[in-house]
Amino acid sequence: MKPRGLNSLFGRLAALVIVVLLLPHFVWYALVNVERSEMRSHYAVEETRFLIEAVEQHVASGSTEPLPWRLRTVPLAGPGVPSGRTPIVPNLRAFIAELTERLPAGTQIRMPEDAGKARDPLMWVLLPEQPNWIVMAVRPRAPPRPEGDRMLIWLIASFSAAVLFALFAAWRLQRPIRKLATAAARFGRGRDVPPVVEEGPQEFRMLTRRFNQMVADISRNESDRGIMLAGVAHDLKAPLSRLRLRAEMVDDEKQRNGFVRDVDSLTHIVDQFLVFAHDGADQSPLQSVNAHCLRYARNFHSAWPERAPLRLDLQARDDCELSAATLDRLLSNLIENAYQYGAPPVTISTGAVTEAALPGALPSRVAHEREDGAGPVITSGWFVAVSDEGNGIPEAELGSASRPFVRLDPARGGNAHCGLGLAIVERLAQRAGGQCVLSNGPAGGLRVELRFRAG
């Protein structure tokens, strides 16, 4: 399963990068805007003071040149002079205060009552000991640029480029960890794992190197164990065959049957050890699970006519397939377990897995699976299940029923077994990418459901 969203390393790195880049960009833009606003206001004050001084010099020189359209002079007693009690427009208060500081002491500044409604309000200025009011249209701030705010455009462009570069760096940083997690999950399911390429920071390369070494060591140990078990099986098969032959020669029928039964039990235990320890990949062809279950039921009835017949409830789609050898081993162990420790009738069922299926069912060792990352709980796909109508397993012991060498004799009593039946089933299912789910049926009996993903 691929990690997505903020739960993945890439998602969290991406969120961290965006926040770290966005915060200083926003603060810088806000500070620059404030500074630029103050600079524009200061520029407007200086421009107004310059015009007032220019008009004063123009009047003092007696020049006959006309003043610009924004400027004119009005005699002290001329028409339209605003009252001295005219309030200053609130949005111009800072501008008027700064302009007053820049002009000579005693300068009067007045504005008409409708100054707040005008785009360029008129301001009346009377310098000390001057016979005329200077009237001008004022702009407290410079007009906005007609081509738009280039600073904001450049800010967005630089932020986008930085985010893209940072996301690429985050993707490169998390890629070794993701490859390592995929390899670990594959190795946990018993599949062959090629050496992972060492890349990324030094810590990631060291982790990958140690993982590769661990996989190589485990594979070598498994190979040695397989060779050893093959030798043990060869050494045990011959004495067991001789023991069975000698048992057949015993004259006492009761003793002969007991010897044969014990030899068969020992042979069965040896076979279970070999199946449990076998880690080789299943190379058998894929088969339809419905067709294989139907064929298995027919062969079972022919081989064991004295046993109650198997029931079939095959609802899986035709494209639900599994390796023939794996499916045969799974069915053999489950059906033998059901007949030996449960009670007939025994049912083989297949169908689609949904998230609401089997409420209350306990995935075998699901806590352990989630902790080591061997595989997520499968809530969609298809299943094959074997159920009986015996006494079942106590709810408190469902979680440990599939552990190796665990015997549940009080609930599923019996002899001549080593507690590997459900452990073999769970290992085979996990090796095929599936999940083993144990539950007790409503009417009693154990139900073992093997879930697999579709496709």
Side-chain angles (χ1 to χ4, degrees), residues 12 29 44 54 62 84 94 102 110 113 163 196 202 226 235 244 248 261 279 305 334-335 350 362 380 393 409:
R12 296 189 179 187
Y29 179 71
R102 302 291 294 171
R110 300 181 184 181
E113 295 180 358
V163 167
V196 182
Q202 179 180 1
D235 293 340
R244 183 179 180 86
E248 294 288 350
R261 187 166 53 251
D279 286 321
L334 290 178
I335 291 175
T350 64
L362 181 64
S380 63
I393 294 178
D409 290 335

Side-chain angles (χ1 to χ4, degrees), residues 75 135 148 190 201 219 236 286 292-293 337 392:
V135 184
S219 299
L236 288 178
L286 296 177
H292 191 89
C293 290
N337 190 75

Side-chain angles (χ1 to χ4, degrees), residues 289 315-317 319-320 349-359 361 363 376-385 433-437 447-455:
V289 62
Q315 303 294 333
R317 299 192 310 270
D319 59 347
C320 297
S349 56
T350 64
V353 174
T354 61
E355 192 168 357
L358 287 177
V377 176
I378 299 174
T379 57
S380 63
W382 61 273
F383 72 88
V384 56
Q435 175 198 2
C436 180
V437 180
R447 176 186 172 94
V448 183
E449 182 175 300
L450 306 175
R451 298 180 178 182
F452 300 90
R453 291 187 183 86

Side-chain angles (χ1 to χ4, degrees), residues 225-238:
R225 185 182 67 173
I227 295 174
M228 180 190 68
L229 289 176
V232 170
H234 180 270
D235 293 340
L236 288 178
K237 287 287 186 178

Side-chain angles (χ1 to χ4, degrees), residues 380-401:
S380 63
W382 61 273
F383 72 88
V384 56
V386 174
S387 58
D388 62 68
E389 296 187 6
N391 296 326
I393 294 178
E395 296 292 333
E397 299 181 359
L398 279 175
S400 60

Side-chain angles (χ1 to χ4, degrees), residues 400-437:
S400 60
S402 61
R403 294 184 182 275
F405 310 110
V406 172
R407 300 190 182 199
L408 303 174
D409 290 335
R412 320 244 318 155
N415 298 316
H417 71 96
C418 55
L420 284 177
L422 291 179
I424 291 173
V425 169
E426 183 185 47
R427 173 166 291 196
L428 290 174
Q430 289 181 353
R431 190 180 302 156
Q435 175 198 2
C436 180
V437 180

Side-chain angles (χ1 to χ4, degrees), residues 40 143-150:
R40 286 181 176 179
R145 299 175 182 177
E147 66 274 13
D149 196 339
R150 293 183 178 178

